[in-house]
Structures are given as structure tokens and as C-alpha cells.
Amino acid sequence: MRNLSMESTELKFLIENKIRHSYVEKYINKPFIDQEKIFILHYFYQDLQMSETKKQQYITTIMLVQIALDTHELIPSKDTDEMTETEKQLSVLAGDYYSGLYYYLLSELEDIDMIQILATAIKQINEYKMKLYNENIQSIDELFTTIQQIESLLFTQVARFIKVEDTIISITKEWLMINRLYQEKENIQNQQFSYIDHFVQEQISDTDKLTTIHIVDEEIHSRKQKLDELLVHLPYHFIVLKNTIRDKVKLAYNTSVAEEG
């Protein structure tokens, strides 16, 4: 396997140059570009029979979709006052700007099927986001499932479309969910908005931040166990991928179960 981490870093620079806009960056924070998501897409596309330039175009386009979704998500819940109305409007416009960029790139690729896949994923993700925003969640398990769909659905839809193995798709879902849980935990610790904290505070009376962090830590532990089981049963030729993921999520190397040969 080539050095995917190094190549993912190079792709990140390409994406940063593609989305740079001085006016947008003057009024809102520069968009977050998740390098691990670039790594995942790069892994998905590495063995496909197409030019490196075309692979870069697909990865850049899909990441622009993610950046647009993330930028729209910067608008806080209706119960918070973290942004002014002007900042909210600028975040919406910035998200629309990144969306316009990915539509432009897709038109260059002339791939109608991929356009449909991404459009369907965006629609489904926004439906899950509306469940969160409208507080249409009945249990903590449903909350975690909803968050996982928001975090991973774009990547799993693309993966299925290009025929990535089901086990790799399951690994991707757990990996992305663990990363999101760590992000939620950091938000709680830093007194920033967290959907998990908001749900727990609404559903459980006389609770505090430590209680929510404990709930998140338990979910992280559970997800890590599931991810470990999936990694252990991957065939040996996936060893570089397995070790990379274990390092990235700080997952102990499982010695209790023999690796598949």
C-alpha cells in the first residue's frame, strides 16, 4: 500500500487551495477539512481503474460536499445564542458557496450517477439533521444512531456505489462515529454546544456535564470494541490499514484473538 497518509496530506492542500476565498475567510472561520475523511476516500479510490487526476477530482468533490454540510452545521441550535444573525447568514452563504463549487466540479466530471448518489446522501443527511434540530429523538440510542448517520452516510453511499467491501464500510462507520464522539466530548468540556449534552440535560433531571461525559466515554468504549472486532477479522493483507486505524483511534492491539490469515 502506498503512503496514504502522506498522499492524503497533499490532497488536503489541494482542497484548501480549491476552496480559498478571502471574503468568506474574512467573516467566518476557515472551514475544517477532516484529513481522516480524505484518507478514507483516498483508500476507497486507490485501486480503481482511473487516472490519478480523476481520483483527485472525485475526492475533492466529495470533500466539498462534506465541507458544505459542516459549514451549514456551524449554525447553532435554536436554543443557543452563539452567533449573530449576520454570522448565521454568512455561514449559510459560505455553505452554499462550497456547494456551488462541488456542483461545478461534478459538471466537469460529467458523472450523472455520482451526482445522484451525492444528492441522495445530502437529502438523507439533512433529514437526520432536522431530527436533531427539531428534537425529534426518543432515546439516547436513537440519538447515537442519528449522529452516526450524519457523520458517515456520505462516505458509505459513495463506498457502496464504487463497490467497496461491506466490512470496510462497517469499519468506516465505526471509525467516523468514534471521531465524532471525541469531538462531542471536547465540545462538552469546552462549554460549547453538543447535541448529546443538550439531549441528556433535557431528558435527565439534576444531571451535570460529568454525567454526559461519562455517557459519551461509555459509547466510545463500546464503539471501539466493535471496531476492534471488525479489524481483527479482516484478512492479513489489510494489515497496513488495520494498524493505521488502530493508531489513529488509539486502539490497543488485540492479542486475544488471532488475526485472520
Side-chain angles (χ1 to χ4, degrees):
M1 184 184 291
R2 296 166 305 201
N3 191 335
L4 288 182
S5 294
M6 185 179 297
E7 293 178 6
S8 297
T9 300
E10 294 171 359
L11 275 167
K12 183 179 179 182
F13 287 133
L14 286 174
I15 294 168
E16 286 174 339
N17 289 331
K18 180 72 69 175
I19 67 175
R20 184 168 288 123
H21 192 295
S22 58
Y23 182 82
V24 171
E25 293 175 6
K26 181 179 178 181
Y27 292 100
I28 66 172
N29 292 333
K30 291 175 66 173
F32 173 67
I33 302 173
D34 191 331
Q35 193 161 324
E36 293 193 2
K37 288 180 178 178
I38 298 175
F39 177 94
I40 288 167
L41 289 172
H42 195 5
Y43 182 82
F44 288 170
Y45 274 92
Q46 66 172 336
D47 294 326
L48 292 188
Q49 297 301 308
M50 64 176 67
S51 69
E52 291 302 315
T53 299
K54 199 159 189 178
K55 290 177 187 177
Q56 288 180 359
Q57 285 181 289
Y58 276 107
I59 293 168
T60 300
T61 300
I62 296 162
M63 283 305 300
L64 280 170
V65 174
Q66 183 64 59
I67 291 165
L69 289 166
D70 289 344
T71 303
H72 283 145
E73 195 171 334
L74 290 174
I75 305 167
S77 167
K78 58 191 175 184
D79 294 330
T80 68
D81 297 312
E82 295 177 10
M83 299 174 75
T84 66
E85 280 303 314
T86 300
E87 289 172 329
K88 290 178 184 179
Q89 291 170 11
L90 285 170
S91 291
V92 171
L93 290 173
D96 292 344
Y97 167 70
Y98 301 133
S99 297
L101 279 178
Y102 92 73
Y103 279 120
Y104 171 72
L105 291 176
L106 278 176
S107 68
E108 289 187 324
L109 288 169
E110 298 181 345
D111 189 336
I112 300 300
D113 291 335
M114 179 58 80
I115 291 173
Q116 291 176 336
I117 291 296
L118 295 179
T120 300
I122 292 166
K123 176 178 179 292
Q124 292 173 341
I125 290 168
N126 284 330
E127 287 172 354
Y128 282 114
K129 285 186 175 184
M130 288 307 296
K131 282 186 68 174
L132 282 183
Y133 185 78
N134 292 325
E135 301 178 10
N136 188 24
I137 304 288
Q138 305 303 317
S139 68
I140 192 71
D141 287 339
E142 184 182 359
L143 175 65
F144 287 136
T145 299
T146 301
I147 290 173
Q148 184 177 44
Q149 292 283 26
I150 290 169
E151 199 65 21
S152 64
L153 199 147
L154 176 64
F155 299 88
T156 58
Q157 294 281 55
V158 168
R160 291 190 181 98
F161 178 65
I162 60 176
K163 305 296 191 295
V164 173
E165 295 179 46
D166 288 343
T167 303
I168 300 297
I169 293 174
S170 297
I171 287 169
T172 298
K173 289 179 67 175
E174 295 307 316
W175 182 9
L176 290 175
M177 182 58 175
I178 290 167
N179 287 347
R180 176 61 184 259
L181 288 167
Y182 275 122
Q183 179 188 331
E184 291 286 321
K185 180 178 177 180
E186 184 177 339
N187 286 349
I188 296 165
Q189 291 171 326
N190 294 333
Q191 305 296 314
Q192 296 173 340
F193 181 78
S194 159
Y195 280 109
I196 298 173
D197 186 48
H198 179 74
F199 179 85
V200 172
Q201 300 294 331
E202 289 290 314
Q203 297 295 319
I204 306 174
S205 59
D206 300 324
T207 190
D208 55 24
K209 301 290 183 185
L210 291 177
T211 301
T212 310
I213 289 173
H214 177 68
I215 291 171
V216 173
D217 281 338
E218 285 190 329
E219 187 66 15
I220 290 172
H221 179 71
S222 174
R223 297 283 178 168
K224 279 188 172 184
Q225 284 186 318
K226 185 173 181 180
L227 177 60
D228 191 35
E229 291 169 5
L230 289 166
L231 291 172
V232 163
H233 292 99
L234 272 181
Y236 184 77
H237 66 270
F238 288 102
I239 188 65
V240 175
L241 176 66
K242 291 196 278 190
N243 290 346
T244 299
I245 294 173
R246 283 170 171 154
D247 287 341
K248 286 180 178 293
V249 301
K250 298 179 175 59
L251 190 65
Y253 285 73
N254 192 317
T255 57
S256 62
V257 181
E259 299 277 355
E260 292 283 339

